[in-house]
Amino acid sequence: MAFTCTLTLNNEVAHITLAGELDAAVAPQFRAKIEEAAAAKVTRLVLFMSELEYMASAGLRSLAFAKQKMGANVDIYMVSVQETVAETITMTGFHNSVIMVESYDEA
Amino acid sequence: MHVLTVPADLDSLDDVGKYVVEAASQAGLDRKAAYRLRLAVDEIMTNIINYGHTEVGLTGDVTVRSAIEADKLTIILEDRARPFDPRERPEPEDLDRPLEERNIGGLGVYLALKGVDHFNYEYVDQMNRNIFVMYRPLQA
């Protein structure tokens, strides 16, 4: 399935919805959205991932890029990550640096 | 299955992914095993494209072969870039550290080599051959 990536900004929170297959060919689209969110000086990044069926290490590098661009104190939430994608995140230790949740409600 | 030959270009990742998913399905791999195989081939293919070709200004093709035997599925990537054995790349050592303190290289090769049941590499006739093996579930 083709990759799609949409960004919405709500005050200081960026929401990015990812769907389809995220490989090295399309990772620059994800990075562009992260840069856009970083430019808006958000304090939190929420990634909605229930429709993301595949993620290669290029997607992980985009997350590391987000931490660099936004600062280490910006929390990154990952919402409804599919099991296979979650396995990659855990194997590479990225689960220690993001907050993985089943559902997300803006408090 | 047929042999697939594609240009060493990131736009080819999608076709290679579909090929691997199809081979995994024919071999009867379960969903998780199929995903790990697809990820492994995708990561090594990405390295072949980026480091073997784009970065050094080389154009060329990558050939994808597959073989289904009674006990295993084998996928082979063949390319004519300079020799590179992914097994020689050191494993990332800082996986437990916070992202902002980590050196982020080497994750693709790490995921590839950890994800398949067996990985092999050979350089024959000026050709890199990356070989991925997944064992098939026993047939009931």
PDB file of all heavy atoms in Angstrom, chain B residues 37-49:
ATOM      1  N   LEU B  37      11.541 -11.244   6.961  1.00  0.00           N
ATOM      2  CA  LEU B  37      12.283 -11.509   5.724  1.00  0.00           C
ATOM      3  C   LEU B  37      12.222 -10.304   4.795  1.00  0.00           C
ATOM      4  O   LEU B  37      13.229  -9.870   4.233  1.00  0.00           O
ATOM      5  CB  LEU B  37      11.720 -12.750   5.028  1.00  0.00           C
ATOM      6  CG  LEU B  37      12.347 -13.096   3.672  1.00  0.00           C
ATOM      7  CD1 LEU B  37      13.839 -13.423   3.819  1.00  0.00           C
ATOM      8  CD2 LEU B  37      11.620 -14.271   3.010  1.00  0.00           C
ATOM      9  N   ARG B  38      11.026  -9.759   4.653  1.00  0.00           N
ATOM     10  CA  ARG B  38      10.857  -8.598   3.784  1.00  0.00           C
ATOM     11  C   ARG B  38      11.720  -7.424   4.294  1.00  0.00           C
ATOM     12  O   ARG B  38      12.386  -6.742   3.513  1.00  0.00           O
ATOM     13  CB  ARG B  38       9.365  -8.204   3.759  1.00  0.00           C
ATOM     14  CG  ARG B  38       9.018  -7.116   2.756  1.00  0.00           C
ATOM     15  CD  ARG B  38       8.874  -5.786   3.432  1.00  0.00           C
ATOM     16  NE  ARG B  38       8.797  -4.694   2.476  1.00  0.00           N
ATOM     17  CZ  ARG B  38       7.677  -4.053   2.165  1.00  0.00           C
ATOM     18  NH1 ARG B  38       6.562  -4.403   2.720  1.00  0.00           N
ATOM     19  NH2 ARG B  38       7.710  -3.063   1.304  1.00  0.00           N
ATOM     20  N   LEU B  39      11.724  -7.232   5.624  1.00  0.00           N
ATOM     21  CA  LEU B  39      12.524  -6.166   6.229  1.00  0.00           C
ATOM     22  C   LEU B  39      14.019  -6.400   5.955  1.00  0.00           C
ATOM     23  O   LEU B  39      14.739  -5.475   5.568  1.00  0.00           O
ATOM     24  CB  LEU B  39      12.254  -6.110   7.737  1.00  0.00           C
ATOM     25  CG  LEU B  39      13.017  -5.059   8.556  1.00  0.00           C
ATOM     26  CD1 LEU B  39      12.634  -3.646   8.120  1.00  0.00           C
ATOM     27  CD2 LEU B  39      12.734  -5.224  10.055  1.00  0.00           C
ATOM     28  N   ALA B  40      14.463  -7.636   6.124  1.00  0.00           N
ATOM     29  CA  ALA B  40      15.885  -7.959   5.933  1.00  0.00           C
ATOM     30  C   ALA B  40      16.317  -7.667   4.492  1.00  0.00           C
ATOM     31  O   ALA B  40      17.338  -7.000   4.259  1.00  0.00           O
ATOM     32  CB  ALA B  40      16.132  -9.429   6.271  1.00  0.00           C
ATOM     33  N   VAL B  41      15.538  -8.134   3.530  1.00  0.00           N
ATOM     34  CA  VAL B  41      15.896  -7.926   2.120  1.00  0.00           C
ATOM     35  C   VAL B  41      15.846  -6.432   1.791  1.00  0.00           C
ATOM     36  O   VAL B  41      16.725  -5.897   1.107  1.00  0.00           O
ATOM     37  CB  VAL B  41      14.958  -8.745   1.192  1.00  0.00           C
ATOM     38  CG1 VAL B  41      15.250  -8.448  -0.272  1.00  0.00           C
ATOM     39  CG2 VAL B  41      15.088 -10.242   1.481  1.00  0.00           C
ATOM     40  N   ASP B  42      14.833  -5.748   2.310  1.00  0.00           N
ATOM     41  CA  ASP B  42      14.662  -4.315   2.064  1.00  0.00           C
ATOM     42  C   ASP B  42      15.860  -3.514   2.592  1.00  0.00           C
ATOM     43  O   ASP B  42      16.361  -2.600   1.925  1.00  0.00           O
ATOM     44  CB  ASP B  42      13.364  -3.864   2.744  1.00  0.00           C
ATOM     45  CG  ASP B  42      12.966  -2.434   2.426  1.00  0.00           C
ATOM     46  OD1 ASP B  42      12.921  -2.088   1.236  1.00  0.00           O
ATOM     47  OD2 ASP B  42      12.688  -1.667   3.369  1.00  0.00           O
ATOM     48  N   GLU B  43      16.330  -3.868   3.792  1.00  0.00           N
ATOM     49  CA  GLU B  43      17.452  -3.137   4.396  1.00  0.00           C
ATOM     50  C   GLU B  43      18.749  -3.348   3.608  1.00  0.00           C
ATOM     51  O   GLU B  43      19.507  -2.401   3.366  1.00  0.00           O
ATOM     52  CB  GLU B  43      17.666  -3.575   5.849  1.00  0.00           C
ATOM     53  CG  GLU B  43      16.502  -3.249   6.793  1.00  0.00           C
ATOM     54  CD  GLU B  43      16.323  -1.759   7.060  1.00  0.00           C
ATOM     55  OE1 GLU B  43      17.165  -0.957   6.621  1.00  0.00           O
ATOM     56  OE2 GLU B  43      15.319  -1.406   7.706  1.00  0.00           O
ATOM     57  N   ILE B  44      19.015  -4.582   3.213  1.00  0.00           N
ATOM     58  CA  ILE B  44      20.250  -4.849   2.471  1.00  0.00           C
ATOM     59  C   ILE B  44      20.162  -4.234   1.074  1.00  0.00           C
ATOM     60  O   ILE B  44      21.130  -3.651   0.569  1.00  0.00           O
ATOM     61  CB  ILE B  44      20.525  -6.370   2.394  1.00  0.00           C
ATOM     62  CG1 ILE B  44      20.737  -6.946   3.813  1.00  0.00           C
ATOM     63  CG2 ILE B  44      21.735  -6.665   1.501  1.00  0.00           C
ATOM     64  CD1 ILE B  44      21.929  -6.411   4.573  1.00  0.00           C
ATOM     65  N   MET B  45      18.983  -4.333   0.468  1.00  0.00           N
ATOM     66  CA  MET B  45      18.767  -3.711  -0.853  1.00  0.00           C
ATOM     67  C   MET B  45      19.000  -2.193  -0.763  1.00  0.00           C
ATOM     68  O   MET B  45      19.653  -1.611  -1.635  1.00  0.00           O
ATOM     69  CB  MET B  45      17.325  -4.027  -1.300  1.00  0.00           C
ATOM     70  CG  MET B  45      16.933  -3.425  -2.634  1.00  0.00           C
ATOM     71  SD  MET B  45      17.652  -4.328  -4.031  1.00  0.00           S
ATOM     72  CE  MET B  45      17.103  -3.266  -5.384  1.00  0.00           C
ATOM     73  N   THR B  46      18.494  -1.570   0.291  1.00  0.00           N
ATOM     74  CA  THR B  46      18.682  -0.124   0.484  1.00  0.00           C
ATOM     75  C   THR B  46      20.173   0.212   0.578  1.00  0.00           C
ATOM     76  O   THR B  46      20.640   1.190  -0.023  1.00  0.00           O
ATOM     77  CB  THR B  46      17.944   0.342   1.764  1.00  0.00           C
ATOM     78  OG1 THR B  46      16.546   0.080   1.605  1.00  0.00           O
ATOM     79  CG2 THR B  46      18.142   1.833   2.009  1.00  0.00           C
ATOM     80  N   ASN B  47      20.937  -0.604   1.301  1.00  0.00           N
ATOM     81  CA  ASN B  47      22.381  -0.372   1.402  1.00  0.00           C
ATOM     82  C   ASN B  47      23.079  -0.552   0.061  1.00  0.00           C
ATOM     83  O   ASN B  47      23.979   0.220  -0.286  1.00  0.00           O
ATOM     84  CB  ASN B  47      23.002  -1.341   2.422  1.00  0.00           C
ATOM     85  CG  ASN B  47      22.818  -0.857   3.849  1.00  0.00           C
ATOM     86  OD1 ASN B  47      22.158   0.143   4.087  1.00  0.00           O
ATOM     87  ND2 ASN B  47      23.401  -1.572   4.783  1.00  0.00           N
ATOM     88  N   ILE B  48      22.682  -1.570  -0.691  1.00  0.00           N
ATOM     89  CA  ILE B  48      23.275  -1.801  -2.013  1.00  0.00           C
ATOM     90  C   ILE B  48      23.048  -0.569  -2.899  1.00  0.00           C
ATOM     91  O   ILE B  48      23.950  -0.100  -3.595  1.00  0.00           O
ATOM     92  CB  ILE B  48      22.661  -3.057  -2.680  1.00  0.00           C
ATOM     93  CG1 ILE B  48      23.074  -4.327  -1.928  1.00  0.00           C
ATOM     94  CG2 ILE B  48      23.059  -3.138  -4.162  1.00  0.00           C
ATOM     95  CD1 ILE B  48      22.305  -5.582  -2.357  1.00  0.00           C
ATOM     96  N   ILE B  49      21.834  -0.021  -2.829  1.00  0.00           N
ATOM     97  CA  ILE B  49      21.491   1.145  -3.650  1.00  0.00           C
ATOM     98  C   ILE B  49      22.281   2.377  -3.183  1.00  0.00           C
ATOM     99  O   ILE B  49      22.974   3.028  -3.967  1.00  0.00           O
ATOM    100  CB  ILE B  49      19.972   1.426  -3.580  1.00  0.00           C
ATOM    101  CG1 ILE B  49      19.190   0.286  -4.240  1.00  0.00           C
ATOM    102  CG2 ILE B  49      19.637   2.772  -4.221  1.00  0.00           C
ATOM    103  CD1 ILE B  49      17.716   0.243  -3.869  1.00  0.00           C
TER     104      ILE B  49
END
